[in-house]
Amino acid sequence: MLDLKLKFKPSTDGRRNWMSPSPLTDLFWNVTRSCNFRCGICFTDSGTPAGGELTTEEALAAIDAAAAAGVRNIIISGGEPFLRPDIERLLEHMAGHDIVARIATNGSRLDDARLKRLKERTKVQSFQISVDSLNPDVYERIHGVSRRFLDKALDAMARIQIHGFHATASSRVTPDTLPGLSALMRHARDRGWATLTLHLPVPTRRSQDTFAEGADLMALLEPLLEEFAALEPRGVVETYIPWAEHHPVARRLSRRVRFTHRGCRAGRDRLTVGPDGALTPCVCLDVPEAVIGNIRTDDLRKVFAESPLCRLFRDPQGAGICSDCRHVGVCGGGCRASAWAASGSFHSLDRQCPLRRAAGCAPRPPSA
């Protein structure tokens, strides 16, 4: 995902070169396609339950396999993960392997009793609640549900703080949400939320109709980032965008606020598991073309190490991607999901890359 995290509370940096070789340490697991929302820009096209989802026993075996492969962190999402009836059992099983869990949810099914159980029985550390906008009309349009669910989301944010979990709100950056991000940021700061995560759209699944192709999203976010940089106490901007540190906006603002650039971790230290067990390098590539195995049948470490697509993510220049650009060794050839969405080829250029734009490079045609 292309994320900008506005972090209001200090956290350890632990920075390393994100393109350095790494073992498999993390999974992003979409545990179900079931969802009580119908978000217009969902990158997994969730809503209706999908056939062939992992059974409880298969999911427990998948956790065993993840632990055996060295996975220490699992991000749980969906659909809405709490629509899976056995989700608490799965989280308890992860805790038995000393696996830390972080959960992305719409917040509609969190109550004090559940949060108390999770605090006592699991290693869930944080929740990321989809807030998107404080404007009830915008929230309703974005999520395809009644505006009353906005109150539920805000209530969930308060409850997870009370129970001692790390509290993150998230917003998909769209033409609808962009005007309200300043109010959401200040609300987050005033309520003591730890982080506001901004998801830049990657045009896959239902995320296709957002900004016009070629829109410079970092430039559109510059006024918000300027405002964040002026807040006291000073926060940190953490980016999960391969080319973010090369963008003029980040370069200008880095004189006023600390940036930490985490790059792209897809295929480098993590894999994504689909509801049916399908393995892909990237959570934004929930498409058949990106499937590299299945957790039911395949060895995670072997898939991670030997999959040609994971190798492409880790060594884009070795595949000829951006090989004429001197920055490819530090930006990884940009976002492979964005490249695929724009061209149907994993070998194409990321058209959002500011270095390619500055050089006037034309996108390549899809390779066979």
Side-chain angles (χ1 to χ4, degrees):
M1 300 178 73
L2 300 178
D3 288 350
L4 280 170
K5 293 181 179 289
L6 306 183
K7 308 193 83 168
F8 301 97
K9 297 185 177 181
S11 62
T12 57
D13 191 339
R15 184 174 182 181
R16 66 177 178 85
N17 181 353
W18 61 271
M19 288 191 64
S20 297
S22 171
L24 176 65
T25 59
D26 293 31
L27 292 181
F28 197 117
W29 188 2
N30 292 319
V31 294
T32 183
R33 285 201 198 281
S34 296
C35 194
N36 53 340
F37 283 20
R38 185 68 181 176
C39 301
I41 53 174
C42 177
F43 54 79
T44 63
D45 200 20
S46 291
T48 304
E53 293 189 358
L54 297 176
T55 66
T56 297
E57 292 308 312
E58 288 174 327
L60 293 172
I63 295 166
D64 294 339
V71 170
R72 308 313 315 150
N73 302 282
I74 298 181
I75 301 170
I76 300 292
S77 188
E80 170 48 50
F82 288 103
L83 286 179
R84 184 166 174 128
D86 59 1
I87 186 62
E88 291 188 32
R89 183 178 176 188
L90 301 185
L91 292 167
E92 289 179 25
H93 196 62
M94 290 177 208
H97 285 291
D98 202 31
I99 292 175
V100 171
R102 296 173 174 84
I103 303 177
T105 169
N106 59 39
S108 65
R109 299 178 72 86
L110 292 177
D111 56 31
D112 287 322
R114 168 165 275 164
L115 289 166
K116 185 174 184 293
R117 289 194 302 271
L118 294 177
K119 194 68 176 178
E120 293 173 348
R121 303 176 187 176
T122 77
K123 290 183 71 69
V124 173
Q125 283 194 352
S126 66
F127 288 88
Q128 179 174 281
I129 309 293
S130 300
V131 177
D132 288 290
S133 175
L134 296 176
N135 182 318
D137 292 329
V138 173
Y139 185 91
E140 190 171 84
R141 286 198 300 272
I142 287 283
H143 294 288
V145 294
S146 166
R147 62 187 59 200
R148 67 185 176 86
F149 282 97
L150 173 58
D151 291 332
K152 282 182 171 287
L154 297 176
D155 179 69
M157 289 296 298
R159 290 180 188 277
I160 63 177
Q161 289 176 279
I162 290 170
H163 287 273
F165 295 101
H166 185 93
T168 295
S170 69
S171 177
R172 274 71 56 96
V173 180
T174 73
D176 242 1
T177 64
L178 184 63
L181 290 181
S182 173
L184 180 57
M185 179 186 69
R186 291 188 173 275
H187 185 93
R189 192 272 308 268
D190 294 345
R191 298 305 187 279
W193 300 352
T195 305
L196 173 62
T197 296
L198 306 177
H199 302 301
L200 277 61
V202 177
T204 59
R205 292 295 189 179
R206 294 204 303 261
S207 297
Q208 296 181 24
D209 298 322
T210 51
F211 293 94
E213 183 179 339
D216 187 342
L217 300 184
M218 285 283 284
L220 291 176
L221 288 171
E222 184 171 13
L224 179 73
L225 295 174
E226 289 266 10
E227 188 177 354
F228 179 75
L231 294 178
E232 294 291 347
R234 293 293 176 89
V236 175
V237 181
E238 192 172 86
T239 77
Y240 290 82
I241 303 170
W243 39 258
E245 64 184 306
H246 303 288
H247 196 284
V249 169
R251 291 190 170 213
R252 281 196 298 272
L253 287 175
S254 62
R255 302 184 187 98
R256 299 178 50 205
V257 64
R258 184 161 66 91
F259 276 74
T260 301
H261 297 290
R262 305 290 190 184
C264 173
R265 300 173 64 187
R268 289 192 171 91
D269 65 8
R270 72 173 48 178
L271 294 174
T272 296
V273 184
D276 60 355
L279 299 170
T280 63
C282 172
V283 67
C284 291
L285 284 171
D286 182 32
V287 293
E289 295 87 343
V291 173
I292 55 177
N294 193 291
I295 202 167
R296 285 184 170 111
T297 56
D298 295 307
D299 181 271
L300 280 172
R301 275 185 288 209
K302 185 173 182 179
V303 169
F304 176 77
E306 299 180 7
S307 157
L309 192 53
C310 280
R311 288 178 176 175
L312 175 67
F313 274 61
R314 290 192 290 267
D315 183 24
Q317 60 268 49
I321 296 168
C322 298
S323 56
D324 58 336
C325 177
R326 63 186 176 88
H327 298 284
V328 67
V330 292
C331 78
C335 175
R336 294 296 90 214
S338 292
W340 182 87
S343 69
S345 170
F346 294 115
H347 292 77
S348 188
L349 298 180
D350 177 359
R351 302 182 188 189
Q352 297 185 65
C353 174
L355 300 169
R356 307 304 302 191
R357 289 185 184 196
C361 298
R364 296 175 185 169
S367 60

